[in-house]
Amino acid sequence: MHGDSWSLDNQWLNEFSDAFDCGTHRLIREISIDAQPDCVVLEGWARNFYAVQLAIHTTQIFSRSRPRFPQITLLLRVDGPMMEFNIAHRGESRKDATVSTPPNACRHELTLAPV
């Protein structure tokens, strides 16, 4: 059974990678995707802030349609410090998704309204 779980996770990660590339129009480069038991972490370099918006939107849409992990973390750099976006969902029953940075005195918290 463990092999089946790995296979499903691997299939999900491949589909997420393809959807992310397509949804962001390949404006994010040097992408790495790491799966942990309760989270997927995607890291990359964004060409501009529009690419970051596309990344957030694509991740929200994909995680709603294919809920396999409870959270996806985007670590994106746009000519400066790394930005962190945590996109959490509770599975198919949840109608909205939130994106926010963790509380930190140096960073302002960002929350997006449901799409």
Side-chain angles (χ1 to χ4, degrees), residues 11-80:
Q11 179 181 349
W12 186 94
L13 291 168
N14 288 336
E15 291 173 3
F16 176 58
S17 177
D18 292 343
F20 191 83
D21 278 344
C22 182
T24 59
H25 307 290
R26 300 187 187 271
L27 295 174
I28 310 287
R29 57 188 188 266
E30 298 180 29
I31 296 172
S32 68
I33 301 175
D34 181 35
Q36 299 170 2
D38 60 342
C39 180
V40 171
V41 178
L42 182 142
E43 186 173 346
W45 288 79
R47 294 181 185 260
N48 50 43
F49 289 103
Y50 175 67
V52 172
Q53 290 175 324
L54 288 175
I56 293 168
H57 181 72
T58 299
T59 302
Q60 286 177 322
I61 297 300
F62 188 84
S63 65
R64 279 191 205 131
S65 66
R66 300 288 314 274
R68 180 130 187 106
F69 295 88
Q71 179 172 307
I72 300 174
T73 299
L74 300 177
L75 299 172
L76 301 171
R77 185 179 305 271
V78 183
D79 295 328

